[in-house]
Amino acid sequence: MRLKKDCLKTLSWFLAFLTFFTCSVPGAGAITISEEDKLATEFMGYMKKTNRVISDPDIDEYINRIGKKIAKEFPNPPFQCSFYVFMENSYNAFAGPGGHVFVNSGLIEAMDSEDELAGIIGHEISHVYLRHISNRIDYSQKVSVGALAGIVAGILLGVGGAGAAASAITAGSMAAGQSLTLAYTRENEVQADQIGLERINSSGYSATGLLDSMTKIRAKQWFGSDQIPTYLLTHPANEERMSYIKSWVEEHEKGKTFSGSSDPAAFKRIKARIMGLYGDSKIILKQFDSLLAKNPGDENQIYGQALAYWRMGEYDKAMGNMRKLLKKNAFDSDYMRDTGIIQFSKGDTEAAFAALSVPGKRTDALRSLYLARAYMAKEKYPEAERILSMLIKDKDNFEDGFYYMAEVSEKMGKNGFSHYYLGVYESMIGRPRQTVYHLDRAMPSLASYPDMKKKAEELLKEALKEMKKEREEKEIQDREKKDDDWGVKKKTTDTKTDSEEK
């Protein structure tokens, strides 16, 4: 057994050493860092169109805190990584161009600790750091950067389990017929494991988390060949890899303790939030019923169930759960905030205002958003405007902040500014035509506001470019369809002629 472990370890280290020199340097056709930056911008545009990237300040803040903590352990990275949760039930994670790292919500739901999440994220950052995807994208193909981004997004969403979204994006790209292989090689995985394990440890997490996650992912194989998770096809969790990771942990973590998570309870609450708000709506309530039957006092499951009830419009049941939680911990800022949000959704503005007015322990984008909405319901628009102004300054990627800033601006008779904020919002969710419509109408009001005017001009330029690209793609699709229809018609005519001659 010891000999087998030593052989596996030697083989793995040799492969890692070999691939460091053969895979980490871009090939002749591989894209450069500047090209990948452009590709990443286009890629994220396609990701927005899926409406599957979760935009939740609590979840965004949490996953980026973990990701950035690990990412800073990588010296001289080619990109600054950003981290997202993708709403998809399959067990997967993937790194897109330019350091955009995604973890599927279904995979997080299957995890039991922050170490497991950190292990998966650390592995994906390693692929970014070593430029494995970059080196597999050949930019020598005669296609535009936008078309290439569409193909890459389609492939990565396909391996992420989001089949419908992948098909739509790939079909919508100019080069839908082009083929591109992004699957990692065995050597890529060995190298990413080696580099990732060290960085996971140095950031304070135990690498057993990666092994535990891989074990859960691998267990999905036994459901049947048609249900093998696509993560295994792009990140092969074979026995050799898992044995190498286990041996590495035994050698490097013996006698050591790790405390990467500053708040171990945070993972369980975020997991409950993901399950309640973004889990499969057909089965999520049954899942919570089952979990609470085993442990009726589990606060996280009560919390997740409350969010699921809220999401499904069962506000009284949601409030029943929140009362149980507040009885246990009346000063919990999340419980108080979400009680206010549920009361607001229920139509009880006064109760919502009372709950949301209680200061939180930290900057809380959702509390600010719903407090502003409560002020709007009370027709106190200047107060709402003040809160939303601070919110979009602190959270400039929070879409809902801009949407409601547009609404309150309209209520205050500031129509030009309302168009501006709606234009920014439409840009954020990837709708170029609506972006152009609103920003064109906002421009006359921005003459005395240089920063806003500059941003509007930049967004207009990008939106117009996107519209041009969409027109070109449609023209190509129409032309290809016409050619296909002509080919079918010609084939039918030829077949008819052959029959008549016979």
Side-chain angles (χ1 to χ4, degrees):
M1 179 62 73
R2 175 68 183 173
L3 180 61
K4 182 179 178 182
K5 282 186 177 180
D6 287 343
C7 288
L8 285 171
K9 189 187 301 182
T10 302
L11 175 61
S12 298
W13 277 87
F14 171 74
L15 289 171
F17 177 83
L18 179 65
T19 54
F20 183 81
F21 292 103
T22 60
C23 296
S24 62
V25 179
I31 60 175
T32 65
I33 288 178
S34 61
E35 288 169 342
E36 188 167 350
D37 272 330
K38 295 176 184 176
L39 180 63
T41 300
E42 298 280 352
F43 169 81
M44 287 306 296
Y46 281 103
M47 293 303 291
K48 288 176 186 176
K49 290 179 181 178
T50 66
N51 295 317
R52 305 282 286 282
V53 180
I54 292 176
S55 178
D56 182 302
D58 283 10
I59 295 169
D60 286 344
E61 181 182 306
Y62 179 75
I63 195 167
N64 274 278
R65 175 168 57 79
I66 297 170
K68 291 183 187 304
K69 181 177 181 179
I70 301 170
K72 72 180 183 181
E73 298 297 318
F74 289 77
N76 303 314
F79 306 100
Q80 296 299 313
C81 289
S82 297
F83 305 89
Y84 313 86
V85 177
F86 190 73
M87 191 164 61
E88 171 62 43
N89 288 326
S90 65
Y91 289 13
N92 194 36
F94 57 94
H100 295 284
V101 175
F102 298 81
V103 182
N104 280 10
S105 56
L107 180 56
I108 296 176
E109 288 178 30
M111 293 176 175
D112 294 305
S113 71
E114 188 169 297
D115 279 322
E116 292 183 30
L117 179 56
I120 290 294
I121 290 174
H123 182 82
E124 294 303 327
I125 296 172
S126 298
H127 283 304
V128 172
Y129 181 71
L130 296 165
R131 302 203 70 217
H132 284 156
I133 282 188
S134 316
N135 295 340
R136 307 193 80 74
I137 297 175
D138 186 351
Y139 196 34
S140 62
Q141 299 180 68
K142 303 300 181 184
V143 295
S144 71
V145 113
L148 187 57
I151 299 169
V152 172
I155 291 171
L156 289 178
L157 286 177
V159 303
S167 298
I169 287 177
T170 306
S173 71
M174 287 173 60
Q178 296 282 344
S179 62
L180 185 66
T181 301
L182 295 181
Y184 295 129
T185 64
R186 178 182 171 191
E187 290 78 14
N188 289 159
E189 293 296 352
V190 170
Q191 191 181 10
D193 285 338
Q194 181 197 1
I195 299 296
L197 290 168
E198 293 174 357
R199 271 53 184 191
I200 291 165
N201 265 189
S202 62
S203 62
Y205 293 101
S206 170
T208 55
L210 176 59
L211 187 61
D212 290 343
S213 289
M214 287 176 61
T215 300
K216 289 172 181 174
I217 291 165
R218 187 165 177 76
K220 294 286 280 186
Q221 286 186 83
W222 305 113
F223 286 108
S225 59
D226 60 331
Q227 295 182 41
I228 293 176
T230 49
Y231 188 98
L232 292 170
L233 305 179
T234 51
H235 297 265
N238 57 43
E239 293 297 338
E240 184 178 306
R241 271 191 70 204
M242 296 177 74
S243 295
Y244 168 68
I245 294 171
K246 185 177 180 182
S247 297
W248 192 96
V249 168
E250 290 173 355
E251 180 178 340
H252 292 81
E253 295 191 2
K254 188 176 182 180
K256 295 181 181 179
T257 57
F258 297 90
S259 57
S261 174
S262 57
D263 181 8
F267 172 81
K268 293 181 179 180
R269 182 167 294 189
I270 287 295
K271 175 180 172 179
R273 186 171 186 84
I274 290 172
M275 289 176 66
L277 293 178
Y278 306 101
D280 188 335
S281 59
K282 295 178 182 178
I283 63 172
I284 195 63
L285 288 176
K286 290 181 181 178
Q287 283 183 304
F288 281 121
D289 285 341
S290 176
L291 291 166
L292 286 167
K294 296 175 184 175
N295 188 357
D298 189 324
E299 284 191 40
N300 291 303
Q301 307 311 329
I302 295 170
Y303 177 62
Q305 187 183 57
L307 296 178
Y309 282 139
W310 171 66
R311 166 187 168 194
M312 295 173 189
E314 298 188 38
Y315 302 130
D316 289 335
K317 288 183 179 180
M319 279 305 303
N321 278 32
M322 296 311 298
R323 289 189 190 98
K324 291 179 186 177
L325 295 171
L326 287 169
K327 189 174 181 180
K328 291 185 175 185
N329 191 346
F331 299 102
D332 187 290
S333 58
D334 288 346
Y335 295 165
M336 186 62 74
R337 175 202 67 197
D338 290 334
T339 294
I341 292 173
I342 293 166
Q343 294 282 33
F344 181 85
S345 301
K346 190 180 176 182
D348 192 341
T349 305
E350 291 300 327
F353 188 81
L356 293 165
S357 295
V358 177
K361 296 179 182 178
R362 54 182 170 76
T363 302
D364 189 329
L366 286 172
R367 188 186 76 86
S368 296
L369 178 72
Y370 277 90
L371 181 58
R373 292 184 66 186
Y375 271 121
M376 290 168 67
K378 294 161 74 76
E379 298 187 358
K380 294 186 176 181
Y381 302 122
E383 289 89 341
E385 182 187 42
R386 176 181 56 81
I387 293 169
L388 290 169
S389 294
M390 291 189 291
L391 172 58
I392 61 177
K393 183 179 179 181
D394 293 337
K395 298 278 187 182
D396 61 0
N397 62 342
F398 187 28
E399 299 157 4
D400 287 353
F402 286 92
Y403 180 86
Y404 286 102
M405 190 64 176
E407 186 173 324
V408 79
S409 295
E410 182 185 19
K411 294 291 186 181
M412 296 177 71
K414 301 177 180 180
N415 292 333
F417 290 104
S418 180
H419 280 298
Y420 169 77
Y421 292 118
L422 269 178
V424 175
Y425 168 78
E426 296 290 356
S427 173
M428 293 174 79
I429 64 172
R431 300 204 297 189
R433 291 181 184 279
Q434 292 87 334
T435 300
V436 172
Y437 174 85
H438 289 295
L439 292 181
D440 271 343
R441 282 154 182 77
M443 279 308 211
S445 301
L446 304 180
S448 301
Y449 300 87
D451 290 343
M452 295 172 73
K453 183 179 179 183
K454 181 181 178 182
K455 182 169 184 175
E457 288 170 346
E458 290 171 353
L459 295 178
L460 266 173
K461 183 179 178 181
E462 288 299 316
L464 289 168
K465 185 170 75 171
E466 180 67 20
M467 288 173 63
K468 180 182 177 184
K469 184 179 75 174
E470 287 180 354
R471 284 197 301 272
E472 291 172 346
E473 289 173 356
K474 189 176 187 308
E475 287 172 5
I476 289 176
Q477 289 173 19
D478 290 345
R479 190 159 58 245
E480 288 177 348
K481 185 177 185 304
K482 186 177 180 181
D483 290 344
D484 289 343
D485 291 344
W486 183 85
V488 170
K489 184 177 180 181
K490 184 176 184 302
K491 185 176 181 181
T492 303
T493 303
D494 290 346
T495 302
K496 185 178 179 181
T497 301
D498 290 344
S499 299
E500 288 173 350
E501 288 177 354
K502 288 179 182 179

